[in-house]
Short mmCIF file of all heavy atoms in Angstrom, two decimals:
data_model
loop_
_atom_site.label_atom_id
_atom_site.label_comp_id
_atom_site.label_asym_id
_atom_site.label_seq_id
_atom_site.Cartn_x
_atom_site.Cartn_y
_atom_site.Cartn_z
N MET A 1 -64.13 30.44 -21.15
CA MET A 1 -65.35 30.47 -21.96
C MET A 1 -66.06 29.12 -21.93
O MET A 1 -67.26 29.05 -22.10
CB MET A 1 -65.00 30.82 -23.42
CG MET A 1 -64.41 32.21 -23.57
SD MET A 1 -65.56 33.52 -23.08
CE MET A 1 -64.63 34.94 -23.61
N PHE A 2 -65.30 28.07 -21.75
CA PHE A 2 -65.89 26.75 -21.84
C PHE A 2 -65.80 26.01 -20.51
O PHE A 2 -65.33 24.91 -20.42
CB PHE A 2 -65.20 25.94 -22.94
CG PHE A 2 -66.16 25.54 -24.02
CD1 PHE A 2 -66.31 26.31 -25.15
CD2 PHE A 2 -66.93 24.39 -23.88
CE1 PHE A 2 -67.20 25.96 -26.13
CE2 PHE A 2 -67.82 24.03 -24.86
CZ PHE A 2 -67.95 24.82 -26.00
N ASN A 3 -66.29 26.71 -19.47
CA ASN A 3 -66.26 26.09 -18.16
C ASN A 3 -67.56 25.37 -17.91
O ASN A 3 -68.59 25.96 -17.68
CB ASN A 3 -66.05 27.18 -17.10
CG ASN A 3 -65.11 26.71 -16.02
OD1 ASN A 3 -65.00 25.52 -15.76
ND2 ASN A 3 -64.43 27.64 -15.40
N THR A 4 -67.52 24.08 -18.01
CA THR A 4 -68.77 23.32 -17.94
C THR A 4 -68.56 22.01 -17.18
O THR A 4 -67.44 21.52 -17.06
CB THR A 4 -69.29 23.03 -19.36
OG1 THR A 4 -70.51 22.33 -19.27
CG2 THR A 4 -68.29 22.22 -20.16
N ASP A 5 -69.64 21.48 -16.69
CA ASP A 5 -69.59 20.18 -16.04
C ASP A 5 -69.62 19.07 -17.08
O ASP A 5 -70.38 19.13 -18.03
CB ASP A 5 -70.78 20.01 -15.10
CG ASP A 5 -70.57 20.75 -13.79
OD1 ASP A 5 -69.48 21.31 -13.60
OD2 ASP A 5 -71.50 20.74 -12.97
N ILE A 6 -68.78 18.10 -16.88
CA ILE A 6 -68.75 16.96 -17.78
C ILE A 6 -69.41 15.78 -17.06
O ILE A 6 -68.92 15.32 -16.02
CB ILE A 6 -67.29 16.63 -18.17
CG1 ILE A 6 -66.68 17.84 -18.91
CG2 ILE A 6 -67.23 15.38 -19.03
CD1 ILE A 6 -65.18 17.90 -18.83
N ARG A 7 -70.52 15.37 -17.61
CA ARG A 7 -71.29 14.31 -16.96
C ARG A 7 -71.42 13.09 -17.85
O ARG A 7 -71.40 13.18 -19.07
CB ARG A 7 -72.69 14.83 -16.60
CG ARG A 7 -72.66 15.86 -15.48
CD ARG A 7 -74.05 16.33 -15.14
NE ARG A 7 -74.03 17.34 -14.09
CZ ARG A 7 -74.04 17.05 -12.78
NH1 ARG A 7 -74.08 15.80 -12.38
NH2 ARG A 7 -74.03 18.01 -11.88
N CYS A 8 -71.60 11.97 -17.20
CA CYS A 8 -71.80 10.73 -17.92
C CYS A 8 -73.17 10.75 -18.62
O CYS A 8 -74.17 11.11 -18.03
CB CYS A 8 -71.71 9.56 -16.95
SG CYS A 8 -72.10 7.97 -17.72
N GLY A 9 -73.18 10.39 -19.89
CA GLY A 9 -74.43 10.38 -20.65
C GLY A 9 -75.35 9.24 -20.25
O GLY A 9 -76.53 9.23 -20.60
N GLN A 10 -74.83 8.29 -19.54
CA GLN A 10 -75.61 7.11 -19.16
C GLN A 10 -76.24 7.25 -17.78
O GLN A 10 -77.45 7.12 -17.63
CB GLN A 10 -74.71 5.88 -19.22
CG GLN A 10 -75.45 4.57 -19.10
CD GLN A 10 -76.34 4.31 -20.30
OE1 GLN A 10 -76.00 4.66 -21.42
NE2 GLN A 10 -77.49 3.72 -20.07
N CYS A 11 -75.44 7.55 -16.79
CA CYS A 11 -75.95 7.58 -15.42
C CYS A 11 -75.96 8.99 -14.83
O CYS A 11 -76.54 9.21 -13.78
CB CYS A 11 -75.13 6.65 -14.53
SG CYS A 11 -73.44 7.21 -14.25
N GLY A 12 -75.36 9.94 -15.52
CA GLY A 12 -75.41 11.33 -15.08
C GLY A 12 -74.41 11.68 -14.00
O GLY A 12 -74.46 12.75 -13.41
N ARG A 13 -73.48 10.81 -13.76
CA ARG A 13 -72.46 11.08 -12.77
C ARG A 13 -71.49 12.15 -13.28
O ARG A 13 -71.09 12.13 -14.44
CB ARG A 13 -71.68 9.79 -12.48
CG ARG A 13 -70.64 9.96 -11.39
CD ARG A 13 -69.58 8.85 -11.51
NE ARG A 13 -68.35 9.25 -10.86
CZ ARG A 13 -67.92 8.76 -9.68
NH1 ARG A 13 -68.60 7.84 -9.07
NH2 ARG A 13 -66.80 9.19 -9.15
N LYS A 14 -71.14 13.08 -12.39
CA LYS A 14 -70.20 14.12 -12.77
C LYS A 14 -68.79 13.53 -12.84
O LYS A 14 -68.28 12.98 -11.87
CB LYS A 14 -70.25 15.26 -11.74
CG LYS A 14 -69.37 16.43 -12.13
CD LYS A 14 -69.52 17.54 -11.11
CE LYS A 14 -68.56 18.67 -11.43
NZ LYS A 14 -68.62 19.75 -10.45
N LEU A 15 -68.20 13.65 -14.03
CA LEU A 15 -66.90 13.05 -14.24
C LEU A 15 -65.79 14.06 -14.07
O LEU A 15 -64.72 13.75 -13.54
CB LEU A 15 -66.85 12.44 -15.65
CG LEU A 15 -67.91 11.38 -15.94
CD1 LEU A 15 -67.89 11.03 -17.42
CD2 LEU A 15 -67.69 10.14 -15.10
N ALA A 16 -66.03 15.26 -14.54
CA ALA A 16 -65.01 16.29 -14.47
C ALA A 16 -65.66 17.64 -14.71
O ALA A 16 -66.84 17.73 -15.03
CB ALA A 16 -63.91 16.04 -15.50
N SER A 17 -64.88 18.69 -14.55
CA SER A 17 -65.36 20.02 -14.89
C SER A 17 -64.20 20.85 -15.40
O SER A 17 -63.05 20.63 -15.01
CB SER A 17 -66.02 20.69 -13.68
OG SER A 17 -65.04 20.98 -12.70
N GLY A 18 -64.52 21.75 -16.30
CA GLY A 18 -63.46 22.57 -16.85
C GLY A 18 -63.67 22.81 -18.33
O GLY A 18 -64.79 22.80 -18.83
N ARG A 19 -62.56 23.02 -19.03
CA ARG A 19 -62.65 23.31 -20.45
C ARG A 19 -62.13 22.14 -21.26
O ARG A 19 -61.16 21.49 -20.88
CB ARG A 19 -61.84 24.57 -20.77
CG ARG A 19 -62.41 25.79 -20.07
CD ARG A 19 -61.75 27.04 -20.56
NE ARG A 19 -60.37 27.12 -20.09
CZ ARG A 19 -59.54 28.09 -20.44
NH1 ARG A 19 -59.93 29.02 -21.27
NH2 ARG A 19 -58.32 28.12 -19.98
N TYR A 20 -62.76 21.90 -22.37
CA TYR A 20 -62.28 20.84 -23.25
C TYR A 20 -62.64 21.16 -24.69
O TYR A 20 -63.57 21.89 -24.97
CB TYR A 20 -62.86 19.49 -22.84
CG TYR A 20 -64.37 19.39 -23.05
CD1 TYR A 20 -64.88 18.84 -24.22
CD2 TYR A 20 -65.26 19.82 -22.08
CE1 TYR A 20 -66.24 18.75 -24.43
CE2 TYR A 20 -66.61 19.74 -22.28
CZ TYR A 20 -67.10 19.20 -23.45
OH TYR A 20 -68.45 19.11 -23.65
N ILE A 21 -61.90 20.60 -25.58
CA ILE A 21 -62.23 20.67 -27.01
C ILE A 21 -62.74 19.32 -27.44
O ILE A 21 -63.80 19.19 -28.03
CB ILE A 21 -61.00 21.07 -27.84
CG1 ILE A 21 -60.54 22.48 -27.44
CG2 ILE A 21 -61.32 21.02 -29.33
CD1 ILE A 21 -59.24 22.89 -28.05
N GLU A 22 -61.98 18.30 -27.10
CA GLU A 22 -62.42 16.95 -27.39
C GLU A 22 -61.93 16.05 -26.27
O GLU A 22 -60.80 16.15 -25.83
CB GLU A 22 -61.86 16.48 -28.75
CG GLU A 22 -62.67 15.35 -29.31
CD GLU A 22 -62.27 15.06 -30.76
OE1 GLU A 22 -61.58 15.88 -31.37
OE2 GLU A 22 -62.65 14.00 -31.25
N LEU A 23 -62.82 15.18 -25.80
CA LEU A 23 -62.49 14.41 -24.61
C LEU A 23 -63.16 13.04 -24.66
O LEU A 23 -64.33 12.92 -25.00
CB LEU A 23 -62.96 15.20 -23.38
CG LEU A 23 -62.60 14.64 -22.02
CD1 LEU A 23 -61.10 14.78 -21.77
CD2 LEU A 23 -63.36 15.38 -20.93
N THR A 24 -62.39 12.05 -24.33
CA THR A 24 -62.96 10.73 -24.16
C THR A 24 -62.71 10.30 -22.72
O THR A 24 -61.58 10.22 -22.29
CB THR A 24 -62.31 9.72 -25.13
OG1 THR A 24 -62.45 10.21 -26.46
CG2 THR A 24 -62.97 8.37 -25.02
N ILE A 25 -63.79 10.07 -22.00
CA ILE A 25 -63.65 9.75 -20.58
C ILE A 25 -64.57 8.59 -20.22
O ILE A 25 -65.72 8.51 -20.65
CB ILE A 25 -63.94 11.01 -19.72
CG1 ILE A 25 -63.57 10.78 -18.27
CG2 ILE A 25 -65.37 11.51 -19.87
CD1 ILE A 25 -63.47 12.07 -17.47
N LYS A 26 -64.02 7.68 -19.44
CA LYS A 26 -64.76 6.49 -19.05
C LYS A 26 -65.37 6.69 -17.67
O LYS A 26 -64.69 7.11 -16.74
CB LYS A 26 -63.81 5.29 -19.04
CG LYS A 26 -64.51 3.96 -19.00
CD LYS A 26 -63.48 2.85 -19.09
CE LYS A 26 -64.16 1.50 -19.17
NZ LYS A 26 -63.16 0.41 -19.26
N CYS A 27 -66.64 6.40 -17.57
CA CYS A 27 -67.33 6.55 -16.30
C CYS A 27 -66.94 5.42 -15.35
O CYS A 27 -67.05 4.24 -15.70
CB CYS A 27 -68.84 6.55 -16.54
SG CYS A 27 -69.80 6.69 -15.02
N PRO A 28 -66.49 5.75 -14.15
CA PRO A 28 -66.07 4.71 -13.20
C PRO A 28 -67.25 3.97 -12.57
O PRO A 28 -67.07 2.91 -11.99
CB PRO A 28 -65.29 5.51 -12.14
CG PRO A 28 -65.83 6.90 -12.22
CD PRO A 28 -66.25 7.11 -13.66
N ARG A 29 -68.43 4.55 -12.72
CA ARG A 29 -69.59 3.91 -12.10
C ARG A 29 -70.23 2.87 -13.04
O ARG A 29 -70.40 1.71 -12.67
CB ARG A 29 -70.62 4.95 -11.71
CG ARG A 29 -71.77 4.36 -10.94
CD ARG A 29 -72.98 5.26 -11.01
NE ARG A 29 -73.01 6.20 -9.89
CZ ARG A 29 -73.93 7.16 -9.80
NH1 ARG A 29 -74.82 7.33 -10.74
NH2 ARG A 29 -73.92 7.97 -8.77
N CYS A 30 -70.58 3.32 -14.26
CA CYS A 30 -71.29 2.41 -15.16
C CYS A 30 -70.41 1.96 -16.34
O CYS A 30 -70.84 1.18 -17.18
CB CYS A 30 -72.56 3.07 -15.68
SG CYS A 30 -72.26 4.47 -16.78
N ARG A 31 -69.19 2.45 -16.36
CA ARG A 31 -68.19 2.05 -17.36
C ARG A 31 -68.60 2.41 -18.79
O ARG A 31 -68.21 1.73 -19.75
CB ARG A 31 -67.88 0.56 -17.26
CG ARG A 31 -67.21 0.22 -15.94
CD ARG A 31 -66.83 -1.25 -15.90
NE ARG A 31 -66.22 -1.59 -14.62
CZ ARG A 31 -65.81 -2.81 -14.31
NH1 ARG A 31 -65.95 -3.80 -15.17
NH2 ARG A 31 -65.26 -3.04 -13.15
N THR A 32 -69.39 3.45 -18.92
CA THR A 32 -69.73 3.95 -20.24
C THR A 32 -68.60 4.85 -20.73
O THR A 32 -68.10 5.68 -19.99
CB THR A 32 -71.05 4.73 -20.20
OG1 THR A 32 -72.10 3.87 -19.79
CG2 THR A 32 -71.39 5.31 -21.56
N LEU A 33 -68.21 4.65 -21.98
CA LEU A 33 -67.18 5.50 -22.56
C LEU A 33 -67.87 6.72 -23.20
O LEU A 33 -68.58 6.59 -24.19
CB LEU A 33 -66.39 4.72 -23.61
CG LEU A 33 -65.07 5.36 -24.04
CD1 LEU A 33 -64.10 5.46 -22.87
CD2 LEU A 33 -64.45 4.55 -25.16
N ASN A 34 -67.66 7.85 -22.58
CA ASN A 34 -68.28 9.09 -23.05
C ASN A 34 -67.31 9.83 -23.97
O ASN A 34 -66.19 10.12 -23.59
CB ASN A 34 -68.64 9.99 -21.86
CG ASN A 34 -69.70 9.37 -20.97
OD1 ASN A 34 -70.88 9.53 -21.21
ND2 ASN A 34 -69.27 8.64 -19.96
N HIS A 35 -67.78 10.11 -25.16
CA HIS A 35 -66.97 10.88 -26.10
C HIS A 35 -67.60 12.25 -26.26
O HIS A 35 -68.69 12.38 -26.81
CB HIS A 35 -66.88 10.15 -27.45
CG HIS A 35 -65.89 10.78 -28.37
ND1 HIS A 35 -66.00 10.69 -29.74
CD2 HIS A 35 -64.77 11.51 -28.11
CE1 HIS A 35 -64.98 11.34 -30.28
NE2 HIS A 35 -64.23 11.85 -29.33
N LEU A 36 -66.90 13.27 -25.78
CA LEU A 36 -67.45 14.62 -25.76
C LEU A 36 -66.66 15.52 -26.68
O LEU A 36 -65.45 15.40 -26.80
CB LEU A 36 -67.41 15.17 -24.34
CG LEU A 36 -68.14 14.31 -23.31
CD1 LEU A 36 -67.39 14.35 -21.99
CD2 LEU A 36 -69.55 14.77 -23.12
N LYS A 37 -67.38 16.40 -27.35
CA LYS A 37 -66.74 17.30 -28.28
C LYS A 37 -67.40 18.68 -28.18
O LYS A 37 -68.62 18.79 -28.26
CB LYS A 37 -66.88 16.75 -29.70
CG LYS A 37 -65.87 17.33 -30.66
CD LYS A 37 -65.99 16.60 -31.99
CE LYS A 37 -64.94 17.12 -32.97
NZ LYS A 37 -65.02 16.45 -34.27
N ALA A 38 -66.57 19.68 -28.01
CA ALA A 38 -67.09 21.05 -27.97
C ALA A 38 -67.53 21.46 -29.38
O ALA A 38 -66.85 21.16 -30.36
CB ALA A 38 -66.03 22.00 -27.46
N GLU A 39 -68.66 22.14 -29.45
CA GLU A 39 -69.23 22.43 -30.76
C GLU A 39 -68.89 23.82 -31.27
O GLU A 39 -68.64 24.01 -32.45
CB GLU A 39 -70.74 22.24 -30.70
CG GLU A 39 -71.09 20.76 -30.63
CD GLU A 39 -72.59 20.56 -30.70
OE1 GLU A 39 -73.28 21.44 -31.20
OE2 GLU A 39 -73.05 19.52 -30.24
N SER A 40 -68.91 24.79 -30.39
CA SER A 40 -68.64 26.16 -30.84
C SER A 40 -67.19 26.55 -30.55
O SER A 40 -66.86 26.97 -29.46
CB SER A 40 -69.60 27.13 -30.17
OG SER A 40 -69.57 26.94 -28.77
N LEU A 41 -66.37 26.36 -31.55
CA LEU A 41 -64.98 26.70 -31.39
C LEU A 41 -64.69 28.08 -31.99
O LEU A 41 -65.20 28.40 -33.05
CB LEU A 41 -64.10 25.67 -32.09
CG LEU A 41 -64.07 24.28 -31.48
CD1 LEU A 41 -63.29 23.33 -32.39
CD2 LEU A 41 -63.42 24.30 -30.11
N PRO A 42 -63.89 28.86 -31.31
CA PRO A 42 -63.53 30.18 -31.84
C PRO A 42 -62.49 30.05 -32.96
O PRO A 42 -61.30 30.24 -32.75
CB PRO A 42 -62.95 30.91 -30.62
CG PRO A 42 -62.46 29.82 -29.72
CD PRO A 42 -63.31 28.61 -29.99
N SER A 43 -62.97 29.68 -34.13
CA SER A 43 -62.06 29.44 -35.24
C SER A 43 -61.80 30.69 -36.08
O SER A 43 -60.99 30.68 -36.98
CB SER A 43 -62.61 28.33 -36.14
OG SER A 43 -63.91 28.65 -36.55
N GLU A 44 -62.55 31.76 -35.76
CA GLU A 44 -62.36 32.99 -36.52
C GLU A 44 -61.19 33.79 -35.99
O GLU A 44 -61.05 33.98 -34.79
CB GLU A 44 -63.64 33.84 -36.44
CG GLU A 44 -64.80 33.23 -37.18
CD GLU A 44 -66.03 34.13 -37.05
OE1 GLU A 44 -65.98 35.26 -37.52
OE2 GLU A 44 -67.00 33.67 -36.45
N ARG A 45 -60.37 34.24 -36.91
CA ARG A 45 -59.25 35.07 -36.52
C ARG A 45 -59.47 36.49 -37.04
O ARG A 45 -59.42 36.70 -38.25
CB ARG A 45 -57.94 34.50 -37.06
CG ARG A 45 -57.52 33.25 -36.30
CD ARG A 45 -56.08 32.89 -36.58
NE ARG A 45 -55.88 32.52 -37.98
CZ ARG A 45 -54.70 32.23 -38.50
NH1 ARG A 45 -53.63 32.28 -37.76
NH2 ARG A 45 -54.58 31.88 -39.76
N PRO A 46 -59.72 37.42 -36.15
CA PRO A 46 -59.98 38.80 -36.58
C PRO A 46 -58.72 39.45 -37.15
O PRO A 46 -57.64 39.36 -36.57
CB PRO A 46 -60.42 39.50 -35.28
CG PRO A 46 -59.90 38.64 -34.17
CD PRO A 46 -59.83 37.24 -34.71
N GLY A 47 -58.88 40.08 -38.30
CA GLY A 47 -57.75 40.75 -38.93
C GLY A 47 -57.06 39.89 -39.96
O GLY A 47 -56.14 40.32 -40.65
N ALA A 48 -57.48 38.65 -40.09
CA ALA A 48 -56.82 37.74 -41.02
C ALA A 48 -57.36 37.91 -42.44
O ALA A 48 -56.79 37.40 -43.39
CB ALA A 48 -57.01 36.30 -40.57
N SER A 49 -58.48 38.62 -42.56
CA SER A 49 -59.09 38.79 -43.88
C SER A 49 -58.43 39.92 -44.67
O SER A 49 -58.62 40.03 -45.86
CB SER A 49 -60.59 39.07 -43.73
OG SER A 49 -60.77 40.22 -42.93
N ASP A 50 -57.64 40.72 -44.00
CA ASP A 50 -56.98 41.83 -44.67
C ASP A 50 -55.60 41.40 -45.18
O ASP A 50 -54.57 41.90 -44.77
CB ASP A 50 -56.85 43.00 -43.69
CG ASP A 50 -56.50 44.28 -44.42
OD1 ASP A 50 -56.98 44.47 -45.56
OD2 ASP A 50 -55.73 45.07 -43.86
N ASN A 51 -55.62 40.43 -46.03
CA ASN A 51 -54.37 39.88 -46.55
C ASN A 51 -54.42 39.84 -48.07
O ASN A 51 -54.82 38.85 -48.68
CB ASN A 51 -54.16 38.49 -45.96
CG ASN A 51 -52.72 38.04 -46.13
OD1 ASN A 51 -51.87 38.82 -46.54
ND2 ASN A 51 -52.46 36.78 -45.83
N LYS A 52 -54.00 40.95 -48.68
CA LYS A 52 -54.06 41.02 -50.13
C LYS A 52 -52.70 40.71 -50.74
O LYS A 52 -51.67 41.18 -50.27
CB LYS A 52 -54.50 42.42 -50.56
CG LYS A 52 -55.93 42.72 -50.17
CD LYS A 52 -56.26 44.19 -50.47
CE LYS A 52 -57.65 44.53 -49.97
NZ LYS A 52 -57.92 45.97 -50.08
N THR A 53 -52.75 39.94 -51.76
CA THR A 53 -51.49 39.60 -52.44
C THR A 53 -51.31 40.46 -53.69
O THR A 53 -52.17 40.50 -54.55
CB THR A 53 -51.49 38.11 -52.84
OG1 THR A 53 -52.77 37.76 -53.33
CG2 THR A 53 -51.15 37.24 -51.64
N LYS A 54 -50.19 41.10 -53.75
CA LYS A 54 -49.88 41.92 -54.92
C LYS A 54 -49.35 41.04 -56.04
O LYS A 54 -48.54 40.15 -55.82
CB LYS A 54 -48.83 42.98 -54.57
CG LYS A 54 -49.45 44.27 -54.09
CD LYS A 54 -48.39 45.34 -53.93
CE LYS A 54 -49.03 46.67 -53.51
NZ LYS A 54 -48.02 47.73 -53.35
N HIS A 55 -49.86 41.32 -57.22
CA HIS A 55 -49.42 40.52 -58.36
C HIS A 55 -49.11 41.43 -59.54
O HIS A 55 -49.91 41.65 -60.41
CB HIS A 55 -50.51 39.50 -58.72
CG HIS A 55 -49.94 38.23 -59.26
ND1 HIS A 55 -49.71 38.03 -60.61
CD2 HIS A 55 -49.56 37.11 -58.63
CE1 HIS A 55 -49.21 36.82 -60.75
NE2 HIS A 55 -49.11 36.24 -59.60
N ASP A 56 -47.89 41.94 -59.58
CA ASP A 56 -47.49 42.79 -60.70
C ASP A 56 -46.68 42.02 -61.71
O ASP A 56 -45.52 41.80 -61.51
CB ASP A 56 -46.63 43.97 -60.18
CG ASP A 56 -47.54 45.04 -59.63
OD1 ASP A 56 -48.66 45.17 -60.14
OD2 ASP A 56 -47.11 45.73 -58.70
ZN1 LIG B 101 -71.94 6.52 -15.91
#
């Protein structure tokens, strides 16, 4: 789902590609430290809302 190119924010050099949640990668060309974070995480768990606690 998260197959994307990871590019340097400074010079635009392609650093890597693939999936990531959070990544810190240093550009070998301009030595900029790029801190990347995926924004849309699948944090919803279907079926987890049907959890009722009985209290007798
Ligand atoms: Zn760079």
Side-chain angles (χ1 to χ4, degrees):
M1 296 297 188
F2 241 94
N3 220 333
T4 182
D5 281 356
I6 299 155
R7 290 181 181 273
C8 175
Q10 191 67 35
C11 69
R13 183 201 158 106
K14 185 177 175 182
L15 302 171
S17 68
R19 296 189 289 176
Y20 67 94
I21 297 172
E22 201 170 347
L23 185 70
T24 304
I25 190 164
K26 194 176 185 180
C27 178
R29 186 201 269 175
C30 68
R31 295 184 182 179
T32 298
L33 195 63
N34 295 273
H35 189 207
L36 303 144
K37 200 173 182 180
E39 288 185 23
S40 52
L41 291 173
S43 54
E44 291 180 63
R45 287 195 295 176
S49 57
D50 194 36
N51 196 9
K52 293 173 185 173
T53 41
K54 270 188 177 180
H55 212 270
D56 279 329

